[in-house]
Amino acid sequence: LIKHLLLATFSVVLLIALMLGWRESIVVGIAVPVTLSATLLIYYLMGYTLNRVTLFALIFSIGILVDDAIVVVENIYRHFRMQDGRTLIRKAIEAVDEVGNPTILATFTVIAAILPMAFVRGLMGPYMRPIPVGASFAMLISLLVAFMVSPWAAYKLLKKKAEHITAEKEMKLLGFYRKVMTPLTHKKKYGWMFLGVNVLLLVGAMSLIGLKWVKVKMLPFDNKSEFQVILDMPEGTPVEQSLRAAQILSQKLTEMPQVTDYEIYAGTSAPMTFNGLVRHYYLRRQANEADIQVNLLPKAQRHLQSHELAKRARILLEPLARKLNVAMKVVEIPPGPPVLSTLVAEIYGPNLKGQFNIGKKVLHLFRTTPGVVDSDIYDVAPQEQINLHVDLKKVAAAGLSVKEVTHAVSMAVHGADVTLAHMPREREAVPILIQMPRSARYNLNALSSLQIQNRKGNLIPLSQVVDIQKTVIPQNIYHKNLRRVVYVIGDVAGKEESPIYAMFKLNKKLDKLKLPDDTVGLKRLYTHLPNLTDHYVMKWDGEWQITYEVFRDLGIAFALVMILMYILVVGWFKSYLTPIAIMAPIPLALVGIIPAHGLMGAFFTATSMIGFIALAGISVRNSILVVDFAEIKMRQGMPVKDAVVEGGAVRFRPMLLTALAVVVGSSVMLWDPIFQGMAIALMAGEVASTILSWGAVPVLYALMYGDKAPVVDEDFAEETE
């Protein structure tokens, strides 16, 4: 990650060198280490550690923190080319002053877009919070650097530069842009047609999600160097048999060349992880339970990701697991906050037996639905339980006490330390454990013949003082928020590896499910638990719950972003219409984001959504620069339609440099499975937004105001009066 951080910084500096020159690249490059070092100080003061998320937050910030410096340096560069008799210091000051206010406004719109994401709730909130917090502080610091360090560095480094881009090239660019944009801004018919094409492109891009060409998921699968195989034998299976089954399955795993080694834990849990904590794997201590910890080659030595290897392991082991009568689950380390299982169906109702009946039917639907694997129910198979009831009269007649009988049975079945053995080769005393052999512990005849010595020294068989009753082990009863619940769990694998699509398939089957009260169709809840449990109802949980909470909070954050940006833009431009033209290009980023996800074969994830929200601020920044320059020209007497065209042409260079900086800075994240969605969103969205907004903003502005300028030259107005 540190290597990628340095690579992203070098790439952005190289980009500026190619576009403007090496002196300009040094000026912009100074802003990067100064801003990042100050951001690291903020992380330190806030108690954040250097981890995967915080480092990616810095990489994410590089593409946007150089925007202020690019805008300032490019405008100084433009003013230095003007032959108007001003000194270089005067040109630098006036160049910064010209873009100062819109740059401040644009910076705060980017912060307004990013910062609300820090208020995402649930487990995902603390996980992602360093990104909006770090990026917001980085933007503030970069603004100060752009206004204090960049002008000084530009003056020192550029004052002796001899080669400049001629005005002729700039006039060619302006001429080409005017040739394309003049019909669109001067004729309403062409303007509306242009906007209609943009809307069609947006609708077409959005439809790709409905057509499942782009799939939605909370977080993509990570690429780890391990996974776990969870084995559940039938209840009552001795630990030796569980161990033997685990050994057979482990031996099968060695056929995969990517597996380096494995460890088996039978009758006890594997070392506890965060995932195991949430899924309660640390409680796996029964004799019929076993875990296999599978270790893989390092990521650099294999071309397959761990998720693909886990799927291959499942296919390899499933036939053998069925033959051994083992319920098997292949568990991967989650990329983000863990859940009980990917798919979780919670069954609530008035009767426990009815809940289990429905749960078993739901389990059958899980197992018969393509793409749903590793299905199971939190149910204990029927087993015989032996209850020994002490007869008080018989105990008293035999000269024993209830405590003595209980202690004897406990010692025989569970074992008891009776004394210590001091052995010459041992550093500490060795406890001596008395316990019946395993074969005798499960033999009722052997247990009944257990002899207990009374106070007179006589041996009394256990069968003479207890009554033996055979019953069935009761079911475990689970509760969630004081409501009795039966859990049905499953995972997803195959073409559609997002739980949402598996839920859609299962919902069609659940509509036809027959309930114990002879009704058809199981009611389902998605966002909250039932208020009452007087009727049967199912709640979807698992990864869906976190997906809903995160996208809900991100959606609320995005709505707040739009309101905050609108208020900021209204306050600066003193118009309620101008912000509409400035903010309209925000959704146009989806024209690039969604198709790019489909072409890359990537899920649209929470990190993709974060990238889209961040792009909202960057898109508004570009629009502000165009409109602000156009209104400067309007104050100088230029017609509205000509002013917006010139604003787009003159501000094209900083818009292009900003877009390329975001693309280059984000490209290093493409190879990380988790943050790939953010990289795709930033890169493809920035390209689409820049290209489309370059035309959409002037067209919208011209359609809204026509030939009547919303601003006038105050000095000219006073002279007229």
Side-chain angles (χ1 to χ4, degrees):
L1 286 175
I2 294 174
K3 180 182 72 175
H4 286 167
L5 184 64
L6 297 174
L7 179 61
T9 304
F10 174 76
S11 301
V12 171
V13 172
L14 180 62
L15 167 68
I16 304 301
L18 294 175
M19 297 295 294
L20 294 179
W22 68 269
R23 295 174 185 268
E24 291 83 352
S25 68
I26 294 176
V27 177
V28 176
I30 291 173
V32 177
V34 174
T35 305
L36 289 183
S37 59
T39 307
L40 286 173
L41 175 62
I42 298 296
Y43 276 159
Y44 173 75
L45 295 176
M46 296 190 67
Y48 289 131
T49 59
L50 279 182
N51 54 55
R52 186 179 190 182
V53 178
T54 53
L55 284 174
F56 265 112
L58 295 178
I59 296 173
F60 161 76
S61 300
I62 285 177
I64 60 176
L65 64 85
V66 296
D67 290 355
D68 291 337
I70 287 174
V71 171
V72 170
V73 171
E74 193 278 336
N75 209 46
I76 293 174
Y77 179 80
R78 188 173 66 87
H79 275 258
F80 278 5
R81 296 200 312 268
M82 297 179 181
Q83 305 298 324
D84 51 13
R86 292 177 297 165
T87 64
L88 290 180
I89 292 180
R90 190 67 185 173
K91 288 181 179 180
I93 293 172
E94 291 182 358
V96 176
D97 179 66
E98 184 180 74
V99 296
N101 288 331
T103 301
I104 293 172
L105 176 62
T107 300
F108 278 98
T109 57
V110 175
I111 294 173
I114 296 172
L115 192 57
M117 292 184 290
F119 301 98
V120 173
R121 291 164 286 181
L123 286 174
M124 199 66 185
Y127 183 77
M128 286 294 185
R129 194 160 295 144
I131 295 178
V133 172
S136 298
F137 278 110
M139 288 303 300
L140 286 175
I141 297 165
S142 70
L143 181 65
L144 298 176
V145 172
F147 284 166
M148 294 188 294
V149 179
S150 297
W152 169 81
Y155 172 73
K156 290 292 185 182
L157 292 173
L158 302 182
K159 63 182 180 180
K160 295 183 179 180
K161 184 172 181 178
E163 296 181 4
H164 304 286
I165 297 177
T166 62
E168 182 183 355
K169 291 185 177 180
E170 186 173 342
M171 291 303 295
K172 286 182 178 180
L173 175 63
L174 181 59
F176 172 76
Y177 184 70
R178 180 179 285 118
K179 184 177 180 181
V180 174
M181 293 302 300
T182 298
L184 299 179
T185 55
H186 287 65
K187 295 184 179 181
K188 290 186 177 181
K189 180 178 68 174
Y190 294 142
W192 286 114
M193 289 174 61
F194 175 76
L195 295 179
V197 171
N198 283 311
V199 172
L200 288 176
L201 289 173
L202 179 60
V203 173
M206 296 288 289
S207 65
L208 296 179
I209 294 179
L211 296 173
K212 298 183 182 180
W213 198 62
V214 177
K215 300 180 180 66
V216 179
K217 197 177 188 299
M218 174 59 207
L219 282 176
F221 298 101
D222 206 350
N223 188 16
K224 299 290 187 180
S225 295
E226 59 182 286
F227 62 83
Q228 203 170 353
V229 181
I230 304 297
L231 307 177
D232 293 303
M233 302 289 287
E235 281 81 0
T237 302
V239 69
E240 291 85 359
Q241 191 172 336
S242 302
L243 176 60
R244 180 58 182 161
Q247 289 172 334
I248 295 173
L249 291 170
S250 300
Q251 192 63 33
K252 189 70 174 178
L253 280 171
T254 58
E255 297 179 9
M256 298 176 62
Q258 297 85 359
V259 174
T260 59
D261 55 82
Y262 59 84
E263 296 85 43
I264 299 174
Y265 302 87
T268 186
S269 62
M272 188 171 62
T273 62
F274 189 23
N275 189 39
L277 179 67
V278 173
R279 297 193 174 195
H280 305 159
Y281 290 162
Y282 65 97
L283 298 175
R284 293 175 55 82
R285 299 192 180 96
Q286 300 300 317
N288 65 305
E289 297 171 338
D291 299 350
I292 307 174
Q293 177 69 36
V294 183
N295 300 315
L296 306 172
L297 287 170
K299 290 181 279 189
Q301 299 180 22
R302 51 182 166 86
H303 65 280
L304 293 176
Q305 292 193 353
S306 59
H307 174 63
E308 185 64 31
L309 294 175
K311 290 197 298 183
R312 294 190 177 190
R314 182 182 289 112
I315 296 172
L316 182 67
L317 297 179
E318 272 184 344
L320 189 56
R322 283 195 297 268
K323 183 178 179 180
L324 296 171
N325 195 23
V326 176
M328 183 194 71
K329 303 177 187 67
V330 179
V331 179
E332 303 174 60
I333 297 177
V339 291
L340 192 62
S341 188
T342 305
L343 278 176
V344 178
E346 300 173 353
I347 314 297
Y348 299 92
N351 182 271
L352 181 61
K353 184 178 180 181
Q355 288 175 253
F356 272 113
N357 288 337
I358 294 175
K360 290 174 182 177
K361 293 179 180 179
V362 172
L363 176 63
H364 176 72
L365 297 181
F366 272 41
R367 290 176 173 171
T368 55
T369 300
V372 179
V373 297
D374 297 349
S375 305
D376 205 350
I377 185 173
Y378 279 35
D379 179 20
V380 178
Q383 300 174 76
E384 185 181 69
Q385 176 172 290
I386 301 173
N387 295 329
L388 304 178
H389 292 275
V390 180
D391 191 316
L392 298 180
K393 292 182 180 180
K394 293 180 180 179
V395 167
L400 296 170
S401 66
V402 176
K403 182 179 179 181
E404 289 174 323
V405 175
T406 304
H407 178 70
V409 174
S410 176
M411 182 173 60
V413 176
H414 302 292
D417 295 336
V418 292
T419 187
L420 297 175
H422 300 279
M423 305 176 70
R425 294 187 178 182
E426 298 292 337
R427 293 184 178 182
E428 296 181 358
V430 178
I432 297 177
L433 176 73
I434 292 184
Q435 188 179 25
M436 293 179 68
R438 183 179 296 275
S439 58
R441 288 179 232 160
Y442 300 102
N443 190 316
L444 186 58
N445 293 328
L447 196 61
S448 300
S449 62
L450 181 66
Q451 304 286 322
I452 307 173
Q453 188 177 34
N454 64 8
R455 284 180 286 274
K456 295 182 179 180
N458 299 324
L459 296 177
I460 308 299
L462 179 65
S463 58
Q464 292 185 8
V465 295
V466 300
D467 295 327
I468 299 174
Q469 296 180 357
K470 295 182 179 180
T471 59
V472 177
I473 293 178
Q475 283 289 344
N476 294 330
I477 301 177
Y478 296 91
H479 289 81
K480 183 175 181 179
N481 292 355
L482 303 180
R483 297 168 177 84
R484 187 178 59 231
V485 61
V486 171
Y487 291 105
V488 180
I489 62 172
D491 211 326
V492 288
K495 294 182 179 180
E496 299 172 352
E497 296 185 310
S498 173
I500 296 175
Y501 303 103
M503 287 167 55
F504 288 156
K505 294 178 182 178
L506 287 164
N507 280 336
K508 295 179 181 179
K509 298 181 179 181
L510 291 170
D511 289 333
K512 304 175 184 178
L513 190 67
K514 187 174 181 181
L515 304 184
D517 55 4
D518 293 330
T519 59
V520 177
L522 181 61
K523 181 182 177 182
R524 295 171 297 283
L525 300 175
Y526 298 89
T527 61
H528 62 279
L529 296 177
N531 295 322
L532 299 173
T533 57
D534 55 347
H535 61 280
Y536 296 104
V537 63
M538 191 188 93
K539 162 72 170 62
W540 281 115
D541 203 84
E543 189 176 307
W544 153 254
Q545 185 67 30
I546 290 186
T547 303
Y548 161 73
E549 290 175 353
V550 171
F551 278 91
R552 176 200 63 194
D553 291 348
L554 287 177
I556 295 172
F558 185 66
L560 293 175
V561 163
M562 301 293 285
I563 295 171
L564 286 173
M565 287 195 296
Y566 184 81
I567 293 172
L568 288 170
V569 178
V570 166
W572 171 248
F573 288 99
K574 297 179 178 61
S575 169
Y576 293 105
L577 282 179
T578 301
I580 296 176
I582 289 174
M583 297 174 63
I586 290 175
L588 295 180
L590 293 173
V591 175
I593 292 174
I594 297 178
H597 277 78
L599 291 173
M600 294 287 291
F603 291 103
F604 187 88
T605 62
T607 58
S608 305
M609 188 70 175
I610 291 174
F612 170 61
I613 295 176
L615 276 177
I618 301 173
S619 301
V620 169
R621 162 197 284 277
N622 293 334
S623 302
I624 287 173
L625 293 174
V626 172
V627 173
D628 183 79
F629 188 84
E631 292 193 351
I632 290 175
K633 292 297 181 182
M634 292 176 205
R635 290 188 180 94
Q636 296 173 358
M638 184 177 287
V640 175
K641 296 175 182 177
D642 293 335
V644 292
V645 172
E646 185 165 349
V650 173
R651 292 304 184 209
F652 173 69
R653 191 191 307 277
M655 288 174 64
L656 178 63
L657 289 175
T658 297
L660 292 177
V662 171
V663 171
V664 171
S666 303
S667 61
V668 297
M669 295 190 289
L670 273 177
W671 290 270
D672 185 87
I674 306 303
F675 291 92
Q676 183 188 49
M678 182 186 292
I680 294 173
L682 288 171
M683 296 172 67
E686 179 65 14
V687 171
S689 177
T690 300
I691 293 174
L692 296 178
S693 65
W694 196 30
V697 173
V699 169
L700 274 172
Y701 197 94
L703 288 174
M704 287 191 299
Y705 290 110
D707 295 322
K708 186 177 180 180
V711 294
V712 295
D713 187 349
E714 295 178 0
D715 296 333
F716 176 76
E718 290 176 2
E719 291 175 4
T720 304
E721 291 176 1

